[in-house]
Amino acid sequence: MGHHTCCNKQKVKRGLWSPEEDKKLINHITTYGHGCWSSVPRLAGLERCGKSCRLRWINYLRPDLKRGSLSPQEATLIIELHSILGNRWAQIAKHLPGRTDNEVKNFWNSSIRKKFITHEVPALASLVAVQNSIPPEEATDFVSLIVNPNLIISDERDQLYLSPSPSVPQSFVHDADFKPNPSNDTVDLIHHHFPLTTMFPFFSNAASFDPSWPLPFVGDLDHHRHKKYHVPYLSNEVVQDIVGDDKLVNPTAGVNPNECDPLMATQKVPQLCDNIDPLVSRLPSCFPVSAGSSYSQNMHLATNQMEFVDTIITSMPSSSSSSSSLSALSGGQYSNI
DNA sequence: AAAGTACGCAACCGCCGCGTC
DNA sequence: AGACGCGGCGGTTGCGTACTT
């Protein structure tokens, strides 16, 4: 099901290519050219679909491919081109002789992502700390909360775990295995310094806010294979303050450890998952939300989040618009790679 | 040393646009 | 006009292995 049309007609092998298969493909293409890819497997004596042959040739067997890691110059070029072209990997790869779109994509999704997280959070945190005269640790907590999207409601419902994410202040996370910090220091910090209607713009329109939905948090930077569910938690006081309507119900009430036992919380999570999809479609486009998780998706989300954080910073009373530009920060960061 | 975890990379999936009939 | 095949592309995932506990 779902296979390309050329793959439906014959039995096809999948998975990694053997050296023998590679040899057959190379021999065929160097002798006859690839011609119509859908006929290549038959002519070359391979039990693969044409698409698979094409991919193998383009991404691995082509004689003009470069091997080995990308050079610093190539990495810099990818970053520059990505800032112009976005995720158009094929377009980017055209400017890198011997490199494939797949290679560029893999590079971006692994290497750059790491740099993004390790550089951007401290940079933003120091900015927030200075502008708001708060301790660096508190600023780091705040920035980590927004920038580092480790709060997740995953759609992998077959395995259910509640787990805190180390980068997220514990007061924002309910976990069946640990006691949240009752002081809610970070909530208070953020609440004090930033109007939460700015942080979560969808709350500003209470009429369109369905309290039965969970708070929208974003993807899992540590990859889907963790299979953990990070459940956002806000106190009733904070939620009511956000929406300005005491009739509204805390959307995270069912997972609030002060309101139910861990078993109840566990049962609540699948319901939250059921509600996440419609939530996504109703949120303002400026706020990134994902019900799933993947590296590439999260790079995109993280980029949106950085823009969002920039908006927050520039809207703060003490901010200076000229010095708080995220693009300036990003430029400084990336130029060092 | 063994088990668990993190990560990079190769390969697959599904969609889209284009050309052909 | 629209059905179909194909190439191309971006997003996603599975696997092997290096690393950590």
Short mmCIF file of all heavy atoms in Angstrom, two decimals, chain A residues 25 90 93 99 102 129 147 193 207 212 238 265 292 330 333:
data_model
loop_
_atom_site.label_atom_id
_atom_site.label_comp_id
_atom_site.label_asym_id
_atom_site.label_seq_id
_atom_site.Cartn_x
_atom_site.Cartn_y
_atom_site.Cartn_z
N LEU A 25 23.81 -2.43 -10.80
CA LEU A 25 23.29 -1.11 -11.19
C LEU A 25 24.37 -0.28 -11.88
O LEU A 25 24.12 0.35 -12.91
CB LEU A 25 22.74 -0.38 -9.96
CG LEU A 25 22.01 0.94 -10.24
CD1 LEU A 25 20.82 0.72 -11.17
CD2 LEU A 25 21.53 1.57 -8.93
N ALA A 90 17.19 20.48 -2.76
CA ALA A 90 17.72 20.23 -4.11
C ALA A 90 18.35 21.48 -4.67
O ALA A 90 19.40 21.43 -5.33
CB ALA A 90 16.60 19.72 -5.02
N ALA A 93 21.61 21.97 -2.91
CA ALA A 93 22.62 21.00 -3.34
C ALA A 93 23.22 21.34 -4.69
O ALA A 93 24.37 20.99 -4.98
CB ALA A 93 22.00 19.59 -3.36
N ARG A 99 27.60 16.97 -3.97
CA ARG A 99 26.76 16.73 -2.79
C ARG A 99 25.31 16.59 -3.22
O ARG A 99 24.88 17.24 -4.16
CB ARG A 99 26.89 17.88 -1.79
CG ARG A 99 28.30 18.14 -1.31
CD ARG A 99 28.85 16.96 -0.53
NE ARG A 99 30.17 17.26 0.05
CZ ARG A 99 30.87 16.38 0.75
NH1 ARG A 99 30.43 15.15 0.94
NH2 ARG A 99 32.05 16.70 1.25
N ASN A 102 19.91 14.90 -0.37
CA ASN A 102 19.76 14.07 0.84
C ASN A 102 20.87 14.36 1.85
O ASN A 102 20.63 14.45 3.05
CB ASN A 102 19.80 12.60 0.44
CG ASN A 102 18.92 11.73 1.34
OD1 ASN A 102 17.88 12.18 1.82
ND2 ASN A 102 19.34 10.50 1.55
N ALA A 129 18.15 38.41 30.13
CA ALA A 129 18.64 38.73 31.47
C ALA A 129 19.00 40.20 31.60
O ALA A 129 18.62 40.88 32.55
CB ALA A 129 19.84 37.85 31.81
N VAL A 147 12.08 28.38 23.61
CA VAL A 147 12.88 28.05 22.44
C VAL A 147 13.07 26.55 22.29
O VAL A 147 13.02 26.01 21.19
CB VAL A 147 14.26 28.72 22.53
CG1 VAL A 147 15.14 28.28 21.39
CG2 VAL A 147 14.08 30.22 22.51
N HIS A 193 7.20 39.03 34.36
CA HIS A 193 7.95 39.82 33.39
C HIS A 193 7.26 39.98 32.05
O HIS A 193 7.50 40.92 31.33
CB HIS A 193 9.34 39.20 33.16
CG HIS A 193 10.25 39.39 34.33
ND1 HIS A 193 10.82 40.60 34.63
CD2 HIS A 193 10.67 38.52 35.27
CE1 HIS A 193 11.58 40.47 35.72
NE2 HIS A 193 11.50 39.22 36.11
N ALA A 207 -12.94 33.95 23.34
CA ALA A 207 -14.14 33.40 22.73
C ALA A 207 -13.83 32.20 21.84
O ALA A 207 -14.64 31.30 21.70
CB ALA A 207 -14.84 34.48 21.90
N SER A 212 -11.33 22.71 26.60
CA SER A 212 -11.15 21.27 26.71
C SER A 212 -9.87 20.82 26.00
O SER A 212 -9.45 19.69 26.12
CB SER A 212 -12.34 20.54 26.11
OG SER A 212 -12.37 20.75 24.71
N VAL A 238 -2.95 30.72 37.02
CA VAL A 238 -2.28 31.28 35.84
C VAL A 238 -3.21 31.22 34.63
O VAL A 238 -3.34 32.19 33.87
CB VAL A 238 -0.97 30.51 35.55
CG1 VAL A 238 -0.40 30.91 34.20
CG2 VAL A 238 0.02 30.77 36.66
N ALA A 265 -3.96 10.86 35.46
CA ALA A 265 -3.19 11.66 34.52
C ALA A 265 -2.81 10.84 33.30
O ALA A 265 -2.90 11.29 32.17
CB ALA A 265 -1.93 12.20 35.19
N GLY A 292 3.06 15.89 16.21
CA GLY A 292 4.01 14.81 16.00
C GLY A 292 5.41 15.27 16.35
O GLY A 292 5.58 16.20 17.11
N SER A 330 21.31 35.68 15.20
CA SER A 330 21.54 34.50 14.37
C SER A 330 22.74 34.70 13.47
O SER A 330 23.55 33.80 13.29
CB SER A 330 20.30 34.23 13.51
OG SER A 330 19.20 34.02 14.34
N GLN A 333 25.86 34.21 15.36
CA GLN A 333 26.07 32.82 15.72
C GLN A 333 26.58 32.00 14.54
O GLN A 333 27.58 31.31 14.62
CB GLN A 333 24.75 32.22 16.19
CG GLN A 333 24.79 30.72 16.30
CD GLN A 333 23.43 30.13 15.99
OE1 GLN A 333 22.42 30.80 16.12
NE2 GLN A 333 23.43 28.90 15.56
#
